[in-house]
Amino acid sequence: MSWTFPASYAQERVWSANQLDAGSPVYNVSSPWTFPPGLSEEQVAGIFAEVVARHEVLRTHLTLVDGALMQVVHPAERPVLPVDDLRGRPADEQAARAGELARTPIPLDQPPLWRARLLRLDDSWRLLLVLHHAVFDAHSVEVFRAEMGELSRATLAGEPAVLPELPIQYADHAAWQREQLAGPALEQQLAFWRGHLDGAPPVLDLPLDRPRPPELGFAGDEVHFDLPLQVLDNATALGRTASTTVFPVLLAAFSALLSRLSGTPDVVVGVSTAGRDLPELTPLIGMLVNPIAVRCDLGGDPSFAELVTRVRDASMDAMDHGGTPFQLVVEAIAAQRDPAVQPIFQAALNFIPGTGFDPVPLGTTKDDLAFDLTAGTSRVLYRTALFDRSTAEAIVDRFVRLLSAAVADPELRVSELPVLSEPEYDRVVREWNDTAHPLAARTLPELFEEQVTRSPGATALTFAGGSLTYADLDARANQLARSLIARGAAPEKIVALVLPRSPELVVAVLAVLKSGAAYLPVDPDHPAERIAYLLADAKPMVVLRTVDEADGDPGPVAVPVRPGNPAYVLYTSGSTGRPKGVVVEHRSVAAYLAWARHAYPGLTGTALLHSPLTFDLSVTGLLGPLTAGGTVHLAAIDEPPPTRPAFVKATPSHLSLLDDRVSPTTDLVLGGEALAAEPLAAWRAAHPEAAVTNEYGPTETTVGCVAARIEPGAPLPPGPVSIGRPIGNVQAYVLDQALRPVPVGVPGELYIAGEQVARGYLGRPALTAERFVPCPFGAPGTRMYATGDRVRWRTDGTLDYLGRLDDQVKVRGHRIEPGEIESALLALDGVTQAVVIVRTDEQGEPQLVAYTVGAAERKDLERTLPAPLVPEVFVRLDELPLTANGKVDRERLPAPEVTEAAYVAPRTDAEALVAEIFAEILQVEKVGAGDDFFALGGNSLRGMRAMGRIRSELDLDLPMRSLFSFPVVADLAARIEELITAEVDGLSDAEVAASLNSEEGTGA
Amino acid sequence: MEPDRFVVVCNDEEQYSIWPADRPLPAGWQDAGFTGAKDECLSHVDQVWTDMRPRSLR
């Protein structure tokens, strides 16, 4: 005999979350009890039986009836308790038994939803009790302890126990709750939550140690720590001044930390409420706790005191609506949930003043990150799929540091609260930037002329049809320099070189440098309009369009050039605004070349100069050899030189053009674009003798300023290649928007300081002032350049390039790193090149589009990337369009063809079955193979029903999470077919088909 | 959390830049006498920084 009642909303929530991994003990709660001495086994068993008899919920299990979750209550029977005799055994055996029991999964579909053992100890009995969270919560621990205590006392005294009346049972509450929460009352509550969470980020972007897996599991771990009592006292005192408790203070500090680590001023944190507002609920054991989402507004960089007030108000508002079952809030707000992300909030904070937390670590977690704070031992639970233990420990340290500083000085702004420890600060600011080495301030003419003196007869330049020695090149440059000087060329002046790649261009560059002027390379193949713009903007003293056969004095020119004078002006096009001229001084180029000559031994051999001089990548291959005694070979990248060059610098997009005759023997330098390991692997395998260097550097910090050298044969892990460390005399800082260093692993903007920082933008004082800012870390009065690039430190002091700050896009609320998607594409077999961009679709919505050379499809990426990162459109190209500089030309990527998502009738029996069940449960007339359950208005409750139907129709063990992973009819049907194939190996294909056919026949 | 108020600053080479108004100036930089929103500060720089050569090179 048993009684059936509807399950509570909280039970529905726990049940449906538990379906994601039914074998996990994640919802186990331990509530052990030690009896006072003097009781017999019979008596202690009787005491426990009395508590079970009082609370129906301890005699309940859950089951689906016609797709609705029900609680089934069984009559009271005396439970049988296994006994372990531990008399005379070491104490750790107790803990071992407790741990074992705590980690045993409790299936929800059979009573009882708890497991218990009696331990016979030397002087007393101890009950080990583990319950499913569906029938028990933190307050239930208190109720249970009080009843066990009173019953024990009464039994020892031989008196009747004095226990509170239970006017209602848990199932009554569940039924009452369903009556109350209906119609306008529910709508009003949900309206609050819709408003409270409107526009909130769907995922908290904490820096992760690993990419988020496409599906969540419960695997977790915990780190224990003690909050210093002084800090807790200060926090309590600060709470008092804000007329509140300690909790909003702790929550404010937690939200500040999450905001600083994720770079967002809008943070949603989950908080538990007891859910026992009514007096009838106080004496009940049962699952009443309800999570609420508190949205913390850190906008405008408030002081900590102000933040406490904001968080206090936000949490009071949220708690006022804490009666709305979280399950219903999720359905209302995040029905279309992403199986990779826990809905509404991913980080939680609880303050448990009295009892402390569940003492047995379960190796599980429900949240990405959850702090349980107590006056005793506190802990953080973390998802091991996302975080390493060392990261969780670092987060604890940061929280304690930030909270301590905030409560000691609440007037500090959020941006001023310390997140880094002093050793960490020292490491990222000083240790990893300790790049100083002696560097004489030199000019380029000096460096070249010294080389002419060292090796006048050596070949400086080769080209189709000829070559020049150092002495020849110097003489011709001197002759042209004299003529330029006569036309007004001088230090702080500009000479424009509108010349094709030719020996004359090389002569002209050296001549301009010798005259003291800065050269401005202009590509004669560029549109006339652009050339006219550059010349009008730069106002050069001389414009050289041809170089005549030289005559005149070939001897040295005597112009006093200073290291601070400009050497060249290069125009760069930003994503916005007109092209701007970057003015780079001799000292900066000399500093870069000093490092390059040391880093690239290939520069003493032949270097292939193929890229236009308008791109500063070419500086290495031109001025590198000419100041190192090497030979510059002028040719296009697809024109093989007579012998293989020793040095080639190119962009990663050029890799496919580097055949055996063009590939360098000593140094391949790649720059100008993000580099991934996969496209490089084939080249390295074919050319195992060459070193590869990934060189990063905006024109504003002179050619290259951060570099990673990959030695021949050195293994290279898949994915994006690190850009390495700052090179000699360069400092790299990764800063937040308040210009403070961010922790290792946290993305920030890269700032570059040191010798290679350019003078600024030609004739653009405001733009220069905006991007070249005071450097608070280096020598007084120096500047650093804000690169606009997002990077993060790795723990080894090398930098990861993450993309442009202004490329950072949000698609459907998720922050997208196109680079991350590109690496996933490149990891696919057959994909050799990939670019991901965001386009605006017909509806004006941002849309991710993947362009690949080689085939790639949605389903390839769905296995490795969370759903929001999977591009909506894939475009396969024979080759990617390149700019003249060899970078991918994003402007010329074709717009994808718009295809209307047409209705596709179910094509297989499985599709027909799924479509029919979806249509019935969602009350939609026509469901096609391409339709998405959630897009059609499904929520997880209806999902439970749909999956229940499918399970029973096919007699198939199909977990609930399959629907979240495969919400589209065709995908779910394919999954079902896979499962059938796997499960019914014994059956013939015909039998399987027959089973599907017969199921289809049962429908309308 | 970009700051909302900036100050125009200048170093010994008479190079101009901007800095968050509520933060101490980094060593080697002086207040150039203008505080305001970022755009206002940058417009001011356009007015006063007429010779972009470092002072030691003029």
Side-chain angles (χ1 to χ4, degrees):
Chain A
M1 165 123 190
S2 61
W3 302 268
T4 302
F5 304 92
S8 69
Y9 288 109
Q11 287 176 326
E12 262 179 14
R13 170 169 58 83
V14 170
W15 184 89
S16 91
N18 207 167
Q19 295 302 299
L20 296 175
D21 186 357
S24 167
V26 62
Y27 284 104
N28 284 8
V29 184
S30 286
S31 186
W33 168 258
T34 304
F35 291 91
L39 292 165
S40 68
E41 181 182 343
E42 177 69 18
Q43 285 173 316
V44 300
I47 288 168
F48 178 61
E50 177 66 27
V51 175
V52 173
R54 274 172 58 79
H55 297 275
E56 285 181 358
V57 76
L58 297 179
R59 294 179 267 123
T60 294
H61 78 275
L62 300 179
T63 189
L64 275 181
V65 178
D66 293 335
L69 192 66
M70 307 300 283
Q71 32 184 341
V72 182
V73 178
H74 299 262
E77 279 171 28
R78 192 173 169 116
V80 179
L81 295 178
V83 177
D84 296 325
D85 190 346
L86 295 187
R87 281 176 294 180
R89 309 291 283 272
D92 56 357
E93 206 160 315
Q94 258 194 69
R97 303 276 166 127
E100 197 184 318
L101 191 68
R103 286 185 287 270
T104 308
I106 303 174
L108 282 166
D109 54 2
Q110 301 154 35
L113 299 183
W114 48 262
R115 298 288 180 269
R117 297 187 86 80
L118 272 177
L119 301 185
R120 179 161 205 180
L121 306 178
D122 291 326
D123 52 354
S124 63
W125 292 88
R126 182 168 167 82
L127 175 74
L128 295 184
L129 177 65
V130 178
L131 308 97
H132 200 287
H133 197 20
V135 294
F136 207 76
D137 63 7
H139 183 80
S140 302
V141 178
E142 308 278 330
V143 174
F144 178 75
R145 286 182 185 173
E147 295 196 1
M148 293 293 281
E150 171 56 16
L151 286 163
S152 301
R153 184 203 63 77
T155 308
L156 282 169
E159 298 168 5
V162 184
L163 292 173
E165 288 282 315
L166 299 181
I168 62 170
Q169 286 284 343
Y170 184 80
D172 301 324
H173 157 72
W176 176 86
Q177 187 191 34
R178 285 190 182 270
E179 276 165 31
Q180 292 297 303
L181 286 168
L186 175 62
E187 205 30 60
Q188 201 183 342
Q189 298 237 3
L190 291 178
F192 165 82
W193 286 108
R194 283 199 194 91
H196 184 69
L197 295 171
D198 182 42
V203 56
L204 175 67
D205 265 315
L206 290 176
L208 308 177
D209 293 311
R210 282 172 285 285
R212 190 174 276 281
E215 266 185 32
L216 277 185
F218 293 123
D221 200 356
E222 54 197 78
V223 172
H224 293 194
F225 63 100
D226 290 333
L227 266 187
L229 277 181
Q230 182 61 51
V231 172
L232 208 49
D233 286 350
N234 286 351
T236 309
L238 178 60
R240 212 172 290 129
T241 62
S243 315
T244 183
T245 63
V246 69
F247 182 72
V249 179
L250 300 174
L251 182 54
F254 188 54
S255 69
L257 176 67
L258 297 176
S259 167
R260 292 281 302 277
L261 293 180
S262 64
T264 166
D266 189 354
V267 171
V268 181
V269 178
V271 171
S272 289
T273 59
R276 292 174 186 257
D277 301 340
L278 301 172
E280 297 90 330
L281 299 177
T282 314
L284 274 188
I285 284 177
M287 171 52 175
L288 289 154
V289 66
N290 190 42
I292 56 170
V294 180
R295 188 169 180 185
C296 306
D297 169 16
L298 296 104
D301 196 12
S303 70
F304 187 71
E306 160 72 15
L307 179 64
V308 169
T309 313
R310 290 188 196 178
V311 168
R312 175 199 67 193
D313 294 348
S315 46
M316 272 164 38
D317 281 352
M319 282 177 196
D320 281 347
H321 298 81
T324 323
F326 187 63
Q327 172 79 359
L328 296 181
V329 177
V330 172
E331 305 292 0
I333 286 162
Q336 271 201 59
R337 57 197 260 198
D338 169 1
V341 180
Q342 185 188 2
I344 314 276
F345 62 80
Q346 298 84 42
L349 178 82
N350 287 301
F351 181 63
I352 306 159
T355 61
F357 52 84
D358 188 342
V360 186
L362 297 176
T364 58
T365 182
K366 303 171 192 96
D367 309 290
D368 291 353
L369 196 65
F371 272 66
D372 288 332
L373 301 175
T374 76
T377 300
S378 300
R379 70 173 172 183
V380 59
L381 291 157
Y382 62 96
R383 210 182 283 291
T384 45
L386 306 180
F387 300 108
D388 290 332
R389 185 170 190 85
S390 58
T391 303
E393 287 167 347
I395 290 173
V396 167
D397 285 348
R398 298 191 200 297
F399 176 72
V400 174
R401 185 178 311 118
L402 185 149
L403 174 66
S404 309
V407 295
D409 183 0
E411 287 315 309
L412 288 175
R413 286 166 178 262
V414 167
S415 67
E416 293 172 317
L417 296 171
V419 169
L420 291 173
S421 69
E422 280 189 25
E424 278 179 310
Y425 182 93
D426 198 66
R427 195 174 312 130
V428 296
V429 168
R430 274 178 283 279
E431 189 186 321
W432 288 345
N433 280 311
D434 185 11
T435 57
H437 65 241
L439 185 70
R442 307 304 305 275
T443 67
L444 298 176
E446 284 168 1
L447 293 170
F448 173 65
E449 284 158 15
E450 284 163 16
Q451 188 57 47
V452 174
T453 307
R454 283 195 293 270
S455 60
T459 306
L461 187 63
T462 59
F463 43 92
S467 68
L468 287 176
T469 63
Y470 272 85
D472 296 336
L473 185 58
D474 188 47
R476 288 188 57 183
N478 285 339
Q479 287 168 330
L480 180 56
R482 283 204 163 73
S483 136
L484 292 173
I485 292 165
R487 292 162 71 183
E492 302 294 330
K493 305 286 186 207
I494 294 171
V495 176
L497 305 176
V498 193
L499 295 166
R501 177 175 53 229
S502 58
E504 288 74 25
L505 176 59
V506 178
V507 170
V509 164
L510 292 169
V512 176
L513 293 172
K514 283 167 178 275
S515 79
Y519 69 88
L520 163 65
V522 180
D523 191 330
D525 291 337
H526 275 177
E529 209 173 288
R530 181 179 165 99
I531 295 178
Y533 169 76
L534 294 195
L535 297 181
D537 191 69
K539 301 181 189 67
M541 177 60 69
V542 181
V543 179
L544 212 54
R545 293 178 189 273
T546 54
V547 176
D548 299 332
E549 202 45 46
D551 54 10
D553 181 0
V557 290
V559 175
V561 186
R562 296 160 70 184
N565 290 135
Y568 57 74
V569 176
L570 288 186
Y571 274 75
T572 64
S573 307
S575 48
T576 54
R578 299 167 291 144
K580 54 220 187 266
V582 182
V583 181
V584 179
E585 297 167 349
H586 283 263
R587 61 181 179 89
S588 300
V589 191
Y592 169 73
L593 291 173
W595 171 82
R597 284 192 301 269
H598 175 75
Y600 305 137
L603 290 174
T604 58
T606 298
L608 176 65
L609 184 64
H610 62 89
S611 49
L613 293 197
T614 49
F615 187 16
D616 81 339
L617 183 139
S618 61
V619 169
T620 322
L622 174 66
L623 297 174
L626 294 182
T627 58
T631 304
V632 176
H633 178 75
L634 294 179
I637 198 161
D638 50 2
E639 288 172 357
T643 55
R644 272 178 69 188
F647 177 95
V648 172
K649 187 171 183 183
T651 64
S653 291
H654 280 138
L655 269 172
S656 57
L657 299 174
L658 291 177
D659 68 17
D660 282 344
R661 294 164 301 171
V662 180
S663 289
T665 53
T666 310
D667 283 303
L668 174 65
V669 181
L670 295 169
E673 289 179 308
L675 176 64
E678 289 82 0
L680 185 55
W683 189 88
R684 289 185 76 215
H687 305 95
E689 71 288 358
V692 178
T693 301
N694 188 20
E695 201 186 276
Y696 163 90
T699 304
E700 289 86 342
T701 53
T702 316
V703 191
C705 57
V706 174
R709 184 178 166 89
I710 306 153
E711 296 294 344
L716 191 59
V721 177
S722 164
I723 56 171
R725 307 167 187 280
I727 67 169
N729 297 307
V730 167
Q731 285 79 44
Y733 304 108
V734 185
L735 308 180
D736 63 19
Q737 283 194 321
L739 301 179
R740 293 178 203 278
V742 297
V744 170
V746 175
E749 183 174 0
L750 177 60
Y751 286 73
I752 298 291
E755 271 303 290
Q756 290 180 211
V757 174
R759 180 183 284 184
Y761 295 114
L762 185 66
R764 306 282 192 92
L767 191 60
T768 305
E770 184 181 6
R771 304 305 295 275
F772 294 82
V773 299
C775 178
F777 313 108
T782 53
R783 298 180 304 165
M784 57 185 182
Y785 171 67
T787 65
D789 287 320
R790 287 182 83 231
V791 299
R792 69 174 163 234
W793 287 113
R794 292 185 181 186
T795 48
D796 63 357
T798 60
L799 291 160
D800 281 332
Y801 175 81
L802 301 174
R804 295 286 303 160
L805 277 179
D806 42 17
D807 277 357
Q808 240 207 305
V809 279
K810 285 202 165 183
V811 176
R812 297 185 300 274
H814 288 259
R815 190 153 72 193
I816 305 287
E817 307 278 7
E820 195 181 322
I821 306 167
E822 286 162 12
S823 346
L825 284 164
L826 288 168
L828 299 175
D829 278 343
V831 175
T832 53
Q833 285 177 286
V835 180
V836 173
I837 63 169
V838 177
R839 286 187 177 271
T840 308
D841 69 9
E842 304 261 291
Q843 282 77 44
E845 290 293 316
Q847 181 188 42
L848 274 174
V849 184
Y851 294 89
T852 57
V853 177
E857 297 183 45
R858 259 193 93 79
K859 66 175 168 50
D860 297 329
L861 289 193
E862 279 170 345
R863 284 195 289 270
T864 51
L865 289 178
L869 265 63
V870 177
E872 284 121 310
V873 184
F874 289 77
V875 180
R876 188 174 172 182
L877 299 174
D878 293 333
E879 56 182 12
L880 297 180
L882 298 187
T883 65
N885 292 346
K887 299 190 193 188
V888 173
D889 191 344
R890 285 156 191 267
E891 302 283 306
R892 285 168 50 215
L893 291 168
E897 286 168 27
V898 184
T899 48
E900 198 61 43
Y903 169 80
V904 179
R907 295 154 297 195
T908 64
D909 293 336
E911 284 183 5
L913 174 71
V914 172
E916 179 200 308
I917 291 177
F918 280 13
E920 185 189 313
I921 288 188
L922 300 175
Q923 298 181 337
V924 178
E925 205 152 305
K926 198 165 77 168
V927 174
D931 284 327
D932 179 303
F933 181 79
F934 297 103
L936 291 173
N939 55 32
S940 59
L941 199 61
R942 288 168 168 181
M944 271 160 44
R945 295 204 184 106
M947 298 304 271
R949 278 284 312 277
I950 295 172
R951 270 193 290 262
S952 63
E953 300 245 341
L954 291 179
D955 190 21
L956 185 69
D957 187 16
L958 186 68
M960 180 66 196
R961 64 165 176 267
S962 308
L963 182 63
F964 292 118
S965 302
F966 308 101
V968 173
V969 170
D971 299 342
L972 185 61
R975 177 72 191 139
I976 289 170
E977 284 174 343
E978 270 175 47
L979 281 176
I980 290 179
T981 315
E983 277 201 5
V984 293
D985 248 357
L987 293 181
S988 71
D989 288 352
E991 283 170 304
V992 172
S995 144
L996 276 169
N997 274 329
S998 73
E999 300 308 339
E1000 197 205 359
T1002 62
Chain B
M1 284 181 282
E2 186 172 275
D4 45 10
R5 306 266 305 163
F6 287 83
V7 56
V8 174
V9 295
C10 180
N11 65 10
D12 289 348
E13 290 281 15
E14 291 179 9
Q15 292 172 313
Y16 286 79
S17 192
I18 58 171
W19 188 251
D22 59 355
R23 302 267 294 274
L25 295 185
W29 292 85
Q30 292 84 44
D31 184 339
F34 187 93
T35 305
K38 187 174 182 177
D39 285 354
E40 296 165 351
C41 285
L42 292 175
S43 298
H44 181 77
V45 169
D46 258 339
Q47 302 293 312
V48 295
W49 196 6
T50 50
D51 185 347
M52 291 181 69
R53 289 174 301 172
R55 196 169 69 127
S56 58
L57 285 158
R58 287 176 199 163

